[in-house]
mmCIF file of all heavy atoms in Angstrom:
data_model
loop_
_atom_site.group_PDB
_atom_site.id
_atom_site.type_symbol
_atom_site.label_atom_id
_atom_site.label_comp_id
_atom_site.label_asym_id
_atom_site.label_seq_id
_atom_site.Cartn_x
_atom_site.Cartn_y
_atom_site.Cartn_z
ATOM 1 N N GLY B 225 6.288 23.205 -9.251
ATOM 2 C CA GLY B 225 6.820 24.102 -10.271
ATOM 3 C C GLY B 225 5.794 24.818 -11.127
ATOM 4 O O GLY B 225 6.153 25.706 -11.908
ATOM 5 N N ALA B 226 4.502 24.470 -11.011
ATOM 6 C CA ALA B 226 3.497 25.162 -11.838
ATOM 7 C C ALA B 226 3.278 26.586 -11.317
ATOM 8 O O ALA B 226 3.550 26.880 -10.150
ATOM 9 C CB ALA B 226 2.192 24.380 -11.796
ATOM 10 N N ARG B 227 2.829 27.475 -12.207
ATOM 11 C CA ARG B 227 2.568 28.862 -11.808
ATOM 12 C C ARG B 227 1.207 29.296 -12.331
ATOM 13 O O ARG B 227 0.917 29.129 -13.518
ATOM 14 C CB ARG B 227 3.672 29.776 -12.355
ATOM 15 C CG ARG B 227 3.364 31.236 -12.176
ATOM 16 C CD ARG B 227 4.551 32.098 -12.503
ATOM 17 N NE ARG B 227 5.519 32.090 -11.415
ATOM 18 C CZ ARG B 227 6.571 32.903 -11.364
ATOM 19 N NH1 ARG B 227 6.803 33.757 -12.348
ATOM 20 N NH2 ARG B 227 7.392 32.858 -10.355
ATOM 21 N N PHE B 228 0.364 29.796 -11.438
ATOM 22 C CA PHE B 228 -0.933 30.351 -11.838
ATOM 23 C C PHE B 228 -0.783 31.866 -11.959
ATOM 24 O O PHE B 228 -0.112 32.495 -11.146
ATOM 25 C CB PHE B 228 -2.011 30.037 -10.795
ATOM 26 C CG PHE B 228 -2.500 28.604 -10.820
ATOM 27 C CD1 PHE B 228 -1.981 27.667 -11.710
ATOM 28 C CD2 PHE B 228 -3.501 28.184 -9.943
ATOM 29 C CE1 PHE B 228 -2.441 26.357 -11.727
ATOM 30 C CE2 PHE B 228 -3.965 26.873 -9.951
ATOM 31 C CZ PHE B 228 -3.427 25.965 -10.836
ATOM 32 N N THR B 229 -1.437 32.442 -12.986
ATOM 33 C CA THR B 229 -1.363 33.893 -13.187
ATOM 34 C C THR B 229 -2.775 34.436 -13.404
ATOM 35 O O THR B 229 -3.507 33.919 -14.248
ATOM 36 C CB THR B 229 -0.508 34.221 -14.434
ATOM 37 O OG1 THR B 229 0.741 33.549 -14.293
ATOM 38 C CG2 THR B 229 -0.265 35.702 -14.567
ATOM 39 N N TYR B 230 -3.114 35.441 -12.623
ATOM 40 C CA TYR B 230 -4.478 35.969 -12.713
ATOM 41 C C TYR B 230 -4.464 37.467 -13.010
ATOM 42 O O TYR B 230 -3.720 38.232 -12.381
ATOM 43 C CB TYR B 230 -5.235 35.765 -11.401
ATOM 44 C CG TYR B 230 -5.401 34.329 -10.983
ATOM 45 C CD1 TYR B 230 -4.591 33.781 -9.998
ATOM 46 C CD2 TYR B 230 -6.378 33.519 -11.549
ATOM 47 C CE1 TYR B 230 -4.747 32.470 -9.593
ATOM 48 C CE2 TYR B 230 -6.545 32.197 -11.149
ATOM 49 C CZ TYR B 230 -5.729 31.676 -10.173
ATOM 50 O OH TYR B 230 -5.884 30.375 -9.776
ATOM 51 N N ASP B 231 -5.309 37.874 -13.956
ATOM 52 C CA ASP B 231 -5.642 39.282 -14.174
ATOM 53 C C ASP B 231 -7.155 39.343 -14.197
ATOM 54 O O ASP B 231 -7.799 38.645 -14.990
ATOM 55 C CB ASP B 231 -5.062 39.774 -15.509
ATOM 56 C CG ASP B 231 -3.582 40.057 -15.394
ATOM 57 O OD1 ASP B 231 -3.235 41.083 -14.781
ATOM 58 O OD2 ASP B 231 -2.782 39.224 -15.874
ATOM 59 N N LEU B 232 -7.715 40.163 -13.332
ATOM 60 C CA LEU B 232 -9.176 40.155 -13.209
ATOM 61 C C LEU B 232 -9.655 41.492 -12.669
ATOM 62 O O LEU B 232 -9.008 42.096 -11.813
ATOM 63 C CB LEU B 232 -9.589 39.042 -12.222
ATOM 64 C CG LEU B 232 -11.059 38.912 -11.872
ATOM 65 C CD1 LEU B 232 -11.844 38.366 -13.063
ATOM 66 C CD2 LEU B 232 -11.253 37.979 -10.671
ATOM 67 N N SER B 233 -10.769 41.965 -13.191
ATOM 68 C CA SER B 233 -11.376 43.185 -12.664
ATOM 69 C C SER B 233 -12.877 42.942 -12.516
ATOM 70 O O SER B 233 -13.541 42.528 -13.469
ATOM 71 C CB SER B 233 -11.094 44.339 -13.643
ATOM 72 O OG SER B 233 -11.722 45.487 -13.169
ATOM 73 N N VAL B 234 -13.385 43.143 -11.303
ATOM 74 C CA VAL B 234 -14.821 42.972 -11.064
ATOM 75 C C VAL B 234 -15.338 44.243 -10.413
ATOM 76 O O VAL B 234 -14.871 44.644 -9.339
ATOM 77 C CB VAL B 234 -15.098 41.770 -10.123
ATOM 78 C CG1 VAL B 234 -16.596 41.497 -10.040
ATOM 79 C CG2 VAL B 234 -14.371 40.525 -10.594
ATOM 80 N N ALA B 235 -16.278 44.911 -11.091
ATOM 81 C CA ALA B 235 -16.785 46.191 -10.581
ATOM 82 C C ALA B 235 -17.696 45.962 -9.377
ATOM 83 O O ALA B 235 -18.231 44.859 -9.184
ATOM 84 C CB ALA B 235 -17.548 46.903 -11.692
ATOM 85 N N THR B 236 -17.877 47.009 -8.582
ATOM 86 C CA THR B 236 -18.732 46.943 -7.391
ATOM 87 C C THR B 236 -20.146 46.500 -7.771
ATOM 88 O O THR B 236 -20.714 46.991 -8.746
ATOM 89 C CB THR B 236 -18.785 48.331 -6.723
ATOM 90 O OG1 THR B 236 -17.459 48.721 -6.415
ATOM 91 C CG2 THR B 236 -19.643 48.308 -5.461
ATOM 92 N N GLY B 237 -20.678 45.586 -7.010
ATOM 93 C CA GLY B 237 -22.052 45.139 -7.215
ATOM 94 C C GLY B 237 -22.226 44.082 -8.278
ATOM 95 O O GLY B 237 -23.336 43.608 -8.508
ATOM 96 N N VAL B 238 -21.136 43.688 -8.928
ATOM 97 C CA VAL B 238 -21.231 42.669 -9.980
ATOM 98 C C VAL B 238 -21.087 41.276 -9.357
ATOM 99 O O VAL B 238 -20.283 41.073 -8.447
ATOM 100 C CB VAL B 238 -20.131 42.882 -11.050
ATOM 101 C CG1 VAL B 238 -20.012 41.673 -11.973
ATOM 102 C CG2 VAL B 238 -20.424 44.129 -11.853
ATOM 103 N N SER B 239 -21.887 40.330 -9.848
ATOM 104 C CA SER B 239 -21.770 38.941 -9.393
ATOM 105 C C SER B 239 -21.152 38.115 -10.514
ATOM 106 O O SER B 239 -21.732 37.967 -11.582
ATOM 107 C CB SER B 239 -23.157 38.409 -9.032
ATOM 108 O OG SER B 239 -23.075 37.032 -8.772
ATOM 109 N N LEU B 240 -19.951 37.593 -10.243
ATOM 110 C CA LEU B 240 -19.209 36.851 -11.255
ATOM 111 C C LEU B 240 -19.130 35.372 -10.871
ATOM 112 O O LEU B 240 -18.726 35.047 -9.752
ATOM 113 C CB LEU B 240 -17.782 37.421 -11.364
ATOM 114 C CG LEU B 240 -16.838 36.712 -12.334
ATOM 115 C CD1 LEU B 240 -17.192 37.046 -13.791
ATOM 116 C CD2 LEU B 240 -15.380 37.112 -12.072
ATOM 117 N N GLY B 241 -19.517 34.519 -11.786
ATOM 118 C CA GLY B 241 -19.371 33.084 -11.557
ATOM 119 C C GLY B 241 -18.028 32.619 -12.088
ATOM 120 O O GLY B 241 -17.551 33.128 -13.097
ATOM 121 N N VAL B 242 -17.413 31.665 -11.387
ATOM 122 C CA VAL B 242 -16.105 31.155 -11.822
ATOM 123 C C VAL B 242 -16.260 29.671 -12.120
ATOM 124 O O VAL B 242 -16.666 28.898 -11.244
ATOM 125 C CB VAL B 242 -15.038 31.374 -10.732
ATOM 126 C CG1 VAL B 242 -13.680 30.906 -11.214
ATOM 127 C CG2 VAL B 242 -14.970 32.833 -10.327
ATOM 128 N N ILE B 243 -15.962 29.306 -13.370
ATOM 129 C CA ILE B 243 -16.073 27.892 -13.745
ATOM 130 C C ILE B 243 -14.740 27.403 -14.321
ATOM 131 O O ILE B 243 -13.874 28.217 -14.674
ATOM 132 C CB ILE B 243 -17.211 27.653 -14.770
ATOM 133 C CG1 ILE B 243 -17.001 28.530 -16.007
ATOM 134 C CG2 ILE B 243 -18.565 27.899 -14.147
ATOM 135 C CD1 ILE B 243 -17.996 28.244 -17.131
ATOM 136 N N GLY B 244 -14.619 26.103 -14.410
ATOM 137 C CA GLY B 244 -13.397 25.528 -14.968
ATOM 138 C C GLY B 244 -13.219 24.114 -14.463
ATOM 139 O O GLY B 244 -13.872 23.707 -13.493
ATOM 140 N N PRO B 245 -12.333 23.347 -15.108
ATOM 141 C CA PRO B 245 -12.117 21.956 -14.696
ATOM 142 C C PRO B 245 -11.544 21.875 -13.274
ATOM 143 O O PRO B 245 -11.001 22.864 -12.763
ATOM 144 C CB PRO B 245 -11.082 21.436 -15.702
ATOM 145 C CG PRO B 245 -10.976 22.464 -16.761
ATOM 146 C CD PRO B 245 -11.488 23.744 -16.237
ATOM 147 N N SER B 246 -11.631 20.692 -12.674
ATOM 148 C CA SER B 246 -11.053 20.490 -11.335
ATOM 149 C C SER B 246 -9.545 20.730 -11.394
ATOM 150 O O SER B 246 -8.885 20.284 -12.328
ATOM 151 C CB SER B 246 -11.299 19.058 -10.864
ATOM 152 O OG SER B 246 -12.671 18.844 -10.713
ATOM 153 N N GLY B 247 -9.047 21.448 -10.411
ATOM 154 C CA GLY B 247 -7.612 21.712 -10.345
ATOM 155 C C GLY B 247 -7.151 22.838 -11.249
ATOM 156 O O GLY B 247 -5.949 23.109 -11.348
ATOM 157 N N ALA B 248 -8.105 23.525 -11.908
ATOM 158 C CA ALA B 248 -7.711 24.592 -12.842
ATOM 159 C C ALA B 248 -7.300 25.857 -12.117
ATOM 160 O O ALA B 248 -6.583 26.695 -12.674
ATOM 161 C CB ALA B 248 -8.864 24.890 -13.796
ATOM 162 N N GLY B 249 -7.744 26.027 -10.855
ATOM 163 C CA GLY B 249 -7.352 27.216 -10.101
ATOM 164 C C GLY B 249 -8.518 28.101 -9.687
ATOM 165 O O GLY B 249 -8.304 29.278 -9.381
#
Side-chain angles (χ1 to χ4, degrees):
Chain B
R227 171 170 282 189
F228 285 1
T229 307
Y230 299 102
D231 282 286
L232 176 71
S233 177
V234 188
T236 303
V238 167
S239 172
L240 177 74
V242 183
I243 56 174
S246 296

